[in-house]
Short mmCIF file of all heavy atoms in Angstrom, two decimals:
data_model
loop_
_atom_site.label_atom_id
_atom_site.label_comp_id
_atom_site.label_asym_id
_atom_site.label_seq_id
_atom_site.Cartn_x
_atom_site.Cartn_y
_atom_site.Cartn_z
N GLU A 1 142.02 146.88 93.68
CA GLU A 1 140.59 147.23 93.83
C GLU A 1 140.29 148.56 93.14
O GLU A 1 139.28 148.69 92.43
CB GLU A 1 140.18 147.24 95.26
CG GLU A 1 138.67 147.32 95.53
CD GLU A 1 138.35 147.20 96.96
OE1 GLU A 1 138.81 146.20 97.64
OE2 GLU A 1 137.60 148.06 97.48
N ILE A 2 141.15 149.51 93.34
CA ILE A 2 140.99 150.84 92.68
C ILE A 2 141.07 150.69 91.19
O ILE A 2 140.27 151.31 90.48
CB ILE A 2 142.03 151.83 93.23
CG1 ILE A 2 141.68 152.24 94.70
CG2 ILE A 2 142.12 153.09 92.34
CD1 ILE A 2 142.78 153.04 95.38
N ARG A 3 142.07 149.95 90.69
CA ARG A 3 142.16 149.73 89.25
C ARG A 3 140.90 149.08 88.71
O ARG A 3 140.40 149.49 87.66
CB ARG A 3 143.41 148.86 88.92
CG ARG A 3 144.66 149.69 88.75
CD ARG A 3 145.79 148.84 88.12
NE ARG A 3 146.22 147.72 88.93
CZ ARG A 3 147.06 147.78 89.94
NH1 ARG A 3 147.55 148.96 90.31
NH2 ARG A 3 147.41 146.74 90.62
N GLN A 4 140.35 148.10 89.42
CA GLN A 4 139.15 147.39 88.97
C GLN A 4 137.97 148.35 88.97
O GLN A 4 137.18 148.37 88.04
CB GLN A 4 138.86 146.23 89.89
CG GLN A 4 137.68 145.38 89.46
CD GLN A 4 137.92 144.69 88.14
OE1 GLN A 4 139.03 144.44 87.69
NE2 GLN A 4 136.86 144.37 87.42
N ASN A 5 137.85 149.21 90.01
CA ASN A 5 136.80 150.22 90.06
C ASN A 5 136.89 151.20 88.89
O ASN A 5 135.91 151.64 88.34
CB ASN A 5 136.78 150.92 91.42
CG ASN A 5 136.24 150.01 92.53
OD1 ASN A 5 135.58 149.04 92.25
ND2 ASN A 5 136.54 150.40 93.72
N ASP A 6 138.14 151.64 88.57
CA ASP A 6 138.34 152.50 87.46
C ASP A 6 137.88 151.89 86.13
O ASP A 6 137.27 152.53 85.30
CB ASP A 6 139.84 152.92 87.33
CG ASP A 6 140.26 153.88 88.43
OD1 ASP A 6 139.36 154.45 89.09
OD2 ASP A 6 141.51 154.06 88.69
N LYS A 7 138.19 150.59 85.97
CA LYS A 7 137.71 149.90 84.77
C LYS A 7 136.22 149.83 84.69
O LYS A 7 135.60 150.06 83.63
CB LYS A 7 138.29 148.45 84.75
CG LYS A 7 139.74 148.36 84.43
CD LYS A 7 140.19 146.93 84.49
CE LYS A 7 141.69 146.76 84.32
NZ LYS A 7 142.09 145.37 84.41
N LEU A 8 135.57 149.50 85.83
CA LEU A 8 134.11 149.50 85.86
C LEU A 8 133.54 150.86 85.54
O LEU A 8 132.49 150.96 84.89
CB LEU A 8 133.62 148.97 87.22
CG LEU A 8 133.88 147.51 87.53
CD1 LEU A 8 133.49 147.15 88.95
CD2 LEU A 8 133.16 146.60 86.53
N ALA A 9 134.15 151.92 86.10
CA ALA A 9 133.66 153.27 85.82
C ALA A 9 133.78 153.58 84.32
O ALA A 9 132.85 154.18 83.71
CB ALA A 9 134.42 154.26 86.64
N ALA A 10 134.89 153.16 83.72
CA ALA A 10 135.05 153.40 82.26
C ALA A 10 133.97 152.62 81.46
O ALA A 10 133.44 153.17 80.48
CB ALA A 10 136.47 152.95 81.86
N VAL A 11 133.69 151.35 81.89
CA VAL A 11 132.69 150.61 81.21
C VAL A 11 131.32 151.27 81.37
O VAL A 11 130.55 151.33 80.39
CB VAL A 11 132.66 149.13 81.74
CG1 VAL A 11 131.43 148.42 81.28
CG2 VAL A 11 133.94 148.40 81.31
N GLY A 12 131.05 151.79 82.54
CA GLY A 12 129.81 152.53 82.74
C GLY A 12 129.66 153.72 81.86
O GLY A 12 128.60 154.01 81.29
N GLN A 13 130.76 154.51 81.72
CA GLN A 13 130.74 155.67 80.83
C GLN A 13 130.53 155.29 79.36
O GLN A 13 129.81 155.92 78.64
CB GLN A 13 132.02 156.49 80.97
CG GLN A 13 132.11 157.23 82.30
CD GLN A 13 133.45 157.95 82.43
OE1 GLN A 13 134.43 157.66 81.75
NE2 GLN A 13 133.44 158.94 83.32
N LEU A 14 131.19 154.19 78.97
CA LEU A 14 131.03 153.71 77.63
C LEU A 14 129.57 153.27 77.36
O LEU A 14 128.98 153.61 76.34
CB LEU A 14 132.00 152.57 77.38
CG LEU A 14 131.94 151.86 76.00
CD1 LEU A 14 132.33 152.86 74.89
CD2 LEU A 14 132.81 150.64 75.95
N ALA A 15 129.06 152.54 78.33
CA ALA A 15 127.65 152.09 78.20
C ALA A 15 126.69 153.24 78.16
O ALA A 15 125.72 153.27 77.37
CB ALA A 15 127.30 151.14 79.40
N ALA A 16 126.94 154.26 78.95
CA ALA A 16 126.06 155.46 78.92
C ALA A 16 126.17 156.14 77.58
O ALA A 16 125.14 156.65 77.04
CB ALA A 16 126.45 156.43 80.04
N GLY A 17 127.40 156.26 77.00
CA GLY A 17 127.53 156.86 75.67
C GLY A 17 126.83 156.05 74.60
O GLY A 17 126.11 156.65 73.76
N ILE A 18 126.88 154.75 74.68
CA ILE A 18 126.16 153.91 73.72
C ILE A 18 124.65 154.08 73.84
O ILE A 18 123.96 154.19 72.86
CB ILE A 18 126.58 152.42 73.90
CG1 ILE A 18 128.04 152.22 73.45
CG2 ILE A 18 125.68 151.50 73.10
CD1 ILE A 18 128.64 150.88 73.82
N ALA A 19 124.20 154.07 75.10
CA ALA A 19 122.73 154.28 75.31
C ALA A 19 122.27 155.61 74.74
O ALA A 19 121.23 155.68 74.14
CB ALA A 19 122.44 154.15 76.82
N HIS A 20 123.10 156.63 74.92
CA HIS A 20 122.76 157.99 74.42
C HIS A 20 122.70 157.94 72.89
O HIS A 20 121.76 158.51 72.27
CB HIS A 20 123.77 159.00 74.89
CG HIS A 20 123.50 160.38 74.43
ND1 HIS A 20 122.47 161.13 74.92
CD2 HIS A 20 124.11 161.15 73.50
CE1 HIS A 20 122.49 162.33 74.32
NE2 HIS A 20 123.44 162.36 73.47
N GLU A 21 123.64 157.23 72.28
CA GLU A 21 123.64 157.14 70.83
C GLU A 21 122.49 156.32 70.29
O GLU A 21 122.06 156.52 69.14
CB GLU A 21 125.01 156.55 70.34
CG GLU A 21 126.17 157.47 70.52
CD GLU A 21 125.98 158.83 69.86
OE1 GLU A 21 125.55 158.85 68.68
OE2 GLU A 21 126.32 159.83 70.49
N ILE A 22 121.99 155.39 71.06
CA ILE A 22 120.78 154.62 70.65
C ILE A 22 119.56 155.52 70.77
O ILE A 22 118.64 155.47 69.94
CB ILE A 22 120.66 153.35 71.48
CG1 ILE A 22 121.77 152.34 71.12
CG2 ILE A 22 119.29 152.69 71.29
CD1 ILE A 22 121.86 151.20 72.04
N ARG A 23 119.50 156.29 71.82
CA ARG A 23 118.37 157.14 72.10
C ARG A 23 118.14 158.21 71.03
O ARG A 23 116.95 158.51 70.64
CB ARG A 23 118.51 157.82 73.45
CG ARG A 23 117.34 158.71 73.81
CD ARG A 23 117.43 159.25 75.19
NE ARG A 23 116.72 158.31 76.09
CZ ARG A 23 116.78 158.40 77.36
NH1 ARG A 23 117.47 159.33 77.95
NH2 ARG A 23 116.11 157.54 78.09
N ASN A 24 119.18 158.74 70.44
CA ASN A 24 119.05 159.80 69.41
C ASN A 24 118.29 159.31 68.18
O ASN A 24 117.32 159.96 67.76
CB ASN A 24 120.42 160.35 69.00
CG ASN A 24 120.97 161.28 70.06
OD1 ASN A 24 120.26 161.79 70.92
ND2 ASN A 24 122.28 161.47 70.05
N PRO A 25 118.67 158.15 67.60
CA PRO A 25 117.88 157.70 66.44
C PRO A 25 116.46 157.32 66.81
O PRO A 25 115.54 157.48 66.03
CB PRO A 25 118.63 156.48 65.90
CG PRO A 25 119.93 156.49 66.57
CD PRO A 25 119.88 157.39 67.71
N LEU A 26 116.29 156.78 68.03
CA LEU A 26 114.93 156.45 68.50
C LEU A 26 114.04 157.67 68.54
O LEU A 26 112.86 157.57 68.17
CB LEU A 26 114.97 155.79 69.88
CG LEU A 26 115.25 154.28 69.93
CD1 LEU A 26 115.30 153.85 71.42
CD2 LEU A 26 114.28 153.51 69.13
N ALA A 27 114.60 158.81 68.97
CA ALA A 27 113.85 160.02 69.00
C ALA A 27 113.41 160.43 67.58
O ALA A 27 112.21 160.86 67.38
CB ALA A 27 114.62 161.16 69.64
N SER A 28 114.26 160.27 66.61
CA SER A 28 113.89 160.62 65.24
C SER A 28 112.81 159.67 64.70
O SER A 28 111.88 160.14 64.09
CB SER A 28 115.13 160.49 64.32
OG SER A 28 116.10 161.37 64.69
N ILE A 29 112.97 158.42 65.00
CA ILE A 29 111.99 157.44 64.57
C ILE A 29 110.66 157.72 65.21
O ILE A 29 109.60 157.71 64.57
CB ILE A 29 112.47 156.01 64.83
CG1 ILE A 29 113.72 155.66 63.98
CG2 ILE A 29 111.39 154.94 64.53
CD1 ILE A 29 114.43 154.40 64.44
N SER A 30 110.69 157.94 66.54
CA SER A 30 109.46 158.22 67.24
C SER A 30 108.74 159.46 66.74
O SER A 30 107.51 159.45 66.55
CB SER A 30 109.82 158.44 68.74
OG SER A 30 108.62 158.78 69.47
N GLY A 31 109.52 160.49 66.43
CA GLY A 31 108.93 161.72 65.83
C GLY A 31 108.27 161.48 64.50
O GLY A 31 107.17 161.97 64.23
N SER A 32 108.94 160.65 63.68
CA SER A 32 108.37 160.31 62.39
C SER A 32 107.07 159.54 62.51
O SER A 32 106.11 159.76 61.81
CB SER A 32 109.38 159.55 61.57
OG SER A 32 110.52 160.31 61.32
N VAL A 33 107.09 158.55 63.45
CA VAL A 33 105.91 157.73 63.63
C VAL A 33 104.74 158.59 64.20
O VAL A 33 103.59 158.42 63.73
CB VAL A 33 106.20 156.54 64.63
CG1 VAL A 33 104.94 155.88 65.11
CG2 VAL A 33 107.12 155.52 63.99
N GLN A 34 105.02 159.54 65.05
CA GLN A 34 104.03 160.41 65.58
C GLN A 34 103.39 161.28 64.48
O GLN A 34 102.17 161.46 64.44
CB GLN A 34 104.57 161.30 66.70
CG GLN A 34 104.88 160.67 67.99
CD GLN A 34 103.64 160.04 68.64
OE1 GLN A 34 102.56 160.68 68.61
NE2 GLN A 34 103.79 158.86 69.18
N LEU A 35 104.22 161.78 63.61
CA LEU A 35 103.73 162.57 62.50
C LEU A 35 102.82 161.73 61.57
O LEU A 35 101.75 162.19 61.15
CB LEU A 35 104.86 163.16 61.62
CG LEU A 35 105.63 164.34 62.28
CD1 LEU A 35 106.86 164.71 61.42
CD2 LEU A 35 104.70 165.53 62.47
N ILE A 36 103.24 160.56 61.31
CA ILE A 36 102.41 159.65 60.45
C ILE A 36 101.11 159.29 61.18
O ILE A 36 100.06 159.26 60.54
CB ILE A 36 103.22 158.36 60.07
CG1 ILE A 36 104.39 158.76 59.20
CG2 ILE A 36 102.30 157.37 59.33
CD1 ILE A 36 105.37 157.63 58.92
N LEU A 37 101.17 159.07 62.48
CA LEU A 37 99.98 158.74 63.26
C LEU A 37 98.99 159.91 63.27
O LEU A 37 97.80 159.71 63.33
CB LEU A 37 100.33 158.35 64.70
CG LEU A 37 100.67 156.84 64.95
CD1 LEU A 37 101.18 156.64 66.35
CD2 LEU A 37 99.47 155.98 64.65
N ASP A 38 99.53 161.13 63.30
CA ASP A 38 98.67 162.33 63.25
C ASP A 38 97.88 162.41 61.95
O ASP A 38 96.76 162.91 61.94
CB ASP A 38 99.49 163.60 63.43
CG ASP A 38 100.03 163.76 64.85
OD1 ASP A 38 99.48 163.07 65.75
OD2 ASP A 38 100.94 164.60 65.06
N ASP A 39 98.44 161.88 60.90
CA ASP A 39 97.75 161.83 59.63
C ASP A 39 97.17 160.41 59.45
O ASP A 39 97.07 159.84 58.36
CB ASP A 39 98.73 162.08 58.49
CG ASP A 39 99.24 163.50 58.52
OD1 ASP A 39 98.50 164.39 59.04
OD2 ASP A 39 100.36 163.75 57.95
N ALA A 40 96.65 159.80 60.54
CA ALA A 40 96.15 158.40 60.51
C ALA A 40 94.97 158.22 59.60
O ALA A 40 94.77 157.11 59.14
CB ALA A 40 95.80 157.97 61.94
N LYS A 41 94.23 159.29 59.36
CA LYS A 41 93.08 159.13 58.51
C LYS A 41 93.48 158.74 57.06
O LYS A 41 92.70 158.18 56.33
CB LYS A 41 92.19 160.33 58.50
CG LYS A 41 92.95 161.63 58.26
CD LYS A 41 92.01 162.82 58.50
CE LYS A 41 92.81 164.07 58.61
NZ LYS A 41 93.04 164.59 59.90
N ASP A 42 94.79 159.11 56.74
CA ASP A 42 95.27 158.74 55.39
C ASP A 42 95.75 157.32 55.32
O ASP A 42 96.10 156.86 54.24
CB ASP A 42 96.41 159.69 55.01
CG ASP A 42 95.92 161.15 54.88
OD1 ASP A 42 94.71 161.39 54.75
OD2 ASP A 42 96.79 162.04 54.96
N GLN A 43 95.89 156.68 56.47
CA GLN A 43 96.44 155.32 56.56
C GLN A 43 95.31 154.27 56.67
O GLN A 43 94.22 154.53 57.17
CB GLN A 43 97.37 155.21 57.79
CG GLN A 43 98.50 156.20 57.82
CD GLN A 43 99.51 155.92 56.74
OE1 GLN A 43 99.74 154.77 56.38
NE2 GLN A 43 100.09 157.02 56.18
N SER A 44 95.64 153.07 56.22
CA SER A 44 94.71 151.97 56.39
C SER A 44 94.69 151.59 57.85
O SER A 44 95.61 151.89 58.62
CB SER A 44 95.14 150.77 55.50
OG SER A 44 96.34 150.25 55.97
#
């Protein structure tokens, strides 16, 4: 049971790392979209 819990904890840490790595590019994309939206008058 302890070995299984250790495996689950490792999977949780891996999943948290992956989620963090997804969040970083999303922040860049979001910032870029916000900048473009601020200049919305130039857009159709």
